[in-house]
Amino acid sequence: PNAGYTGSGWVASAAERGQISTLTLAYQLDLRAAQAPQLSVWQTADLQGDDLLSLEVSVDGGLSWLPIDIQPGWKGAWMQRTVDLTGFRGTVIGLRFVLTSGPSNQGNANRPSTLAIDELGVQEVIAPPLAAADHSSHDDPDHGTGARA
């Protein structure tokens, strides 16, 4: 795939099987004031069926990592993917992408697995306001004409 969706991006290539490539965000994301944070990233890939791409979060400064989005081997053009980070609101988190190439090349001995990501961002998603309650007079027993049983 191309290096970036709109410019430069991160590219991982797994020509050798059984390898792990990791991209760790260089800074922590502060979600302490967030209510509904959502990660957005553009990605394209040509992965083998036994490859695995995962997005992982750390809440302890990188000592341990929790996979929150797992994508088994897939092939596709540039697409935008969003991941809900609401479960981590009120914390400071680390993010990393991990590409694990499977042990086989599934009959494609000369085709390396490749992945590119670009345009990583985290935004606050604002829920639309609830529709105003209908206070019609037919539901009010003192003022309406609604039937009562």
Side-chain angles (χ1 to χ4, degrees):
N2 295 331
Y5 178 69
T6 61
S8 61
W10 179 70
V11 177
S13 180
E16 190 174 332
R17 307 308 298 163
Q19 300 296 308
I20 297 174
S21 299
T22 303
L23 171 67
T24 304
L25 199 60
Y27 52 89
Q28 300 284 300
L29 294 174
D30 187 348
L31 302 179
R32 290 179 289 194
Q35 293 301 309
Q38 203 172 65
L39 175 121
S40 169
V41 64
W42 282 88
Q43 62 184 24
T44 183
D46 184 2
L47 302 180
Q48 305 289 332
D50 59 350
D51 294 338
L52 190 67
L53 170 62
S54 63
L55 172 64
E56 300 180 350
V57 170
S58 176
V59 294
D60 59 11
L63 297 175
S64 61
W65 294 91
L66 171 70
I68 61 168
D69 185 52
I70 298 173
Q71 301 174 65
W74 62 279
K75 180 178 181 175
W78 283 104
M79 63 176 263
Q80 187 176 32
R81 186 165 183 92
T82 57
V83 179
D84 185 12
L85 298 176
T86 303
F88 300 97
R89 67 181 174 218
T91 63
V92 176
I93 64 170
L95 282 176
R96 74 178 182 183
F97 292 87
V98 179
L99 172 60
T100 305
S101 63
S104 73
N105 211 349
Q106 299 194 341
N108 298 307
N110 296 323
R111 193 184 104 210
S113 294
T114 55
L115 164 74
I117 61 172
D118 196 10
E119 298 294 317
L120 175 77
V122 175
Q123 62 273 344
E124 184 76 22
V125 177
I126 308 297
L130 296 175
D134 181 9
H135 296 290
S136 302
S137 61
H138 69 277
D139 289 334
D140 185 341
D142 295 326
H143 300 96
T145 59
R148 291 259 167 212

